[in-house]
Amino acid sequence: MLYPTYTRRSDPFALMRSMLRDFDRASPGHVTQPVFPAVNVWQGDEAVAITAELPGVDPADIDISVKENVLTLSGERKAPEVPEGARWHRNERGFGRFARSVRLPFVAAEDKVEARMTNGVLRIVIGRLEEDKPRKIEIKAA
Amino acid sequence: MTNDVTHTADKTPAETPETTTGRRIYRPLTDIVETADGVTLTLEMPGVAAEDVDITLEKRVLTIRGKVHAMQPEKLQLAYAEYGEGDFERAFTMSDDFDPDKIGAQVSNGVLTLTLPRAADAQPKKITVTAS
């Protein structure tokens, strides 16, 4: 790798930092792993909906919490019990604990959060606080 | 099977001819476990209800299809998407010692579990050797 020494000559640590960055990128732990669960966000004037695919997760194992404008989704996907002496042919699915936070575009009205799970797809609808909604300002004729 | 943070394997499109509507067809992630009595397949098909699953076994090819009903919350527009919606399809070539009438299928929380018991006459028989 080539490290240009002429840039930022006033900063003696610039070279070191740039080398460290390259190490970070090369180390296997730094590979950006896709986060679980993948979410889709739907937006409207008065509400936001978040849908997530959580196949194989029991609705009882999901925790949803909303604090101001951050929604946190956490839980566990339990590994299936495999009888003894079984032989794995394929193992593509993942299991374990997960946690994910989503920042909402507004402060959530805590009593207007509704979550529903159908066929492994979770859907959370979050309403907006009444006093937080944009108000139309009328222009008075002079 | 550790307690690590669950990863999302990216949804991969199935290797099927493209659809006329332009909808994607995805390949469901599958776990396959073999025991002495048969084979169990576990397929992830989020959004697929039990009545929308179609399973066929023809000439040793087991084809699994799942129809997804698009989920669009009322009055809301999609603002950010990390996953795509689409039907699921995947096929496996099986060994021919399964009894097609005894295949069991069950859907729960978007996961299809298929149990294929081995045909009775294909069960390995243990032959005892007697000393003369």
Side-chain angles (χ1 to χ4, degrees):
Chain A
M1 250 169 266
L2 198 82
Y3 293 102
T5 47
Y6 49 84
T7 52
R8 291 212 207 158
R9 206 158 262 206
S10 56
D11 185 354
F13 297 105
L15 176 65
M16 200 176 95
R17 267 204 307 275
S18 126
M19 283 175 78
L20 282 173
R21 252 200 313 276
D22 283 330
F23 278 124
D24 271 358
R25 228 172 286 149
S27 64
H30 202 258
V31 178
T32 45
Q33 272 213 327
V35 278
F36 183 88
V39 297
N40 280 4
V41 181
W42 307 74
Q43 219 167 346
D45 289 337
E46 302 195 349
V48 154
I50 288 163
T51 54
E53 290 191 330
L54 292 160
V57 182
D58 194 329
D61 292 333
I62 304 172
D63 272 325
I64 302 161
S65 66
V66 182
K67 193 167 186 272
E68 288 178 357
N69 66 341
V70 177
L71 175 111
T72 306
L73 192 69
S74 63
E76 187 177 3
R77 176 146 70 157
K78 292 195 178 107
E81 278 168 37
V82 174
E84 220 173 294
R87 206 154 58 86
W88 282 90
H89 287 212
R90 273 161 209 260
N91 181 9
E92 296 171 354
R93 304 174 60 211
F95 303 98
R97 299 201 61 82
F98 59 85
R100 178 113 204 240
S101 292
V102 178
R103 193 178 294 274
L104 307 169
F106 50 74
V107 176
E110 269 159 52
D111 54 334
K112 279 194 199 153
V113 182
E114 198 189 281
R116 192 174 299 160
M117 185 113 172
T118 37
N119 301 323
V121 179
L122 177 72
R123 176 178 145 182
I124 311 165
V125 180
I126 305 130
R128 195 166 184 173
L129 267 181
E130 204 60 52
E131 57 261 37
D132 194 42
K133 282 181 188 166
R135 222 162 294 147
K136 193 172 160 64
I137 294 152
E138 281 182 41
I139 303 165
K140 286 177 192 143
Chain B
M1 296 293 107
T2 55
N3 234 25
D4 288 346
V5 174
T6 310
H7 65 276
T8 318
D10 281 327
K11 271 174 122 176
T12 41
E15 285 158 13
T16 49
E18 54 184 307
T19 57
T20 50
T21 53
R23 256 172 90 92
R24 284 255 177 96
I25 296 176
Y26 292 100
R27 207 175 104 162
L29 292 176
T30 309
D31 278 358
I32 302 177
V33 171
E34 185 184 353
T35 58
D37 322 311
V39 172
T40 307
L41 285 85
T42 320
L43 292 95
E44 281 189 358
M45 300 205 281
V48 177
E51 59 268 25
D52 296 324
V53 181
D54 180 47
I55 304 155
T56 54
L57 178 63
E58 199 188 346
K59 288 181 186 156
R60 288 171 52 206
V61 177
L62 180 78
T63 309
I64 300 125
R65 289 192 188 89
K67 249 189 119 55
V68 173
H69 294 285
M71 153 111 91
Q72 158 108 51
E74 314 80 59
K75 291 192 278 180
L76 300 177
Q77 302 292 314
L78 186 62
Y80 169 73
E82 283 179 352
Y83 68 87
E85 274 180 342
D87 297 343
F88 290 98
E89 195 174 320
R90 195 159 177 180
F92 297 99
T93 305
M94 314 298 294
S95 58
D96 50 6
D97 51 354
F98 294 103
D99 191 342
D101 301 324
K102 283 191 186 143
I103 295 175
Q106 191 195 339
V107 174
S108 80
N109 291 326
V111 174
L112 170 72
T113 309
L114 273 174
T115 44
L116 289 89
R118 240 176 254 294
D121 50 20
Q123 292 247 8
K125 284 187 196 78
K126 199 172 159 66
I127 295 152
T128 44
V129 181
T130 47
S132 61

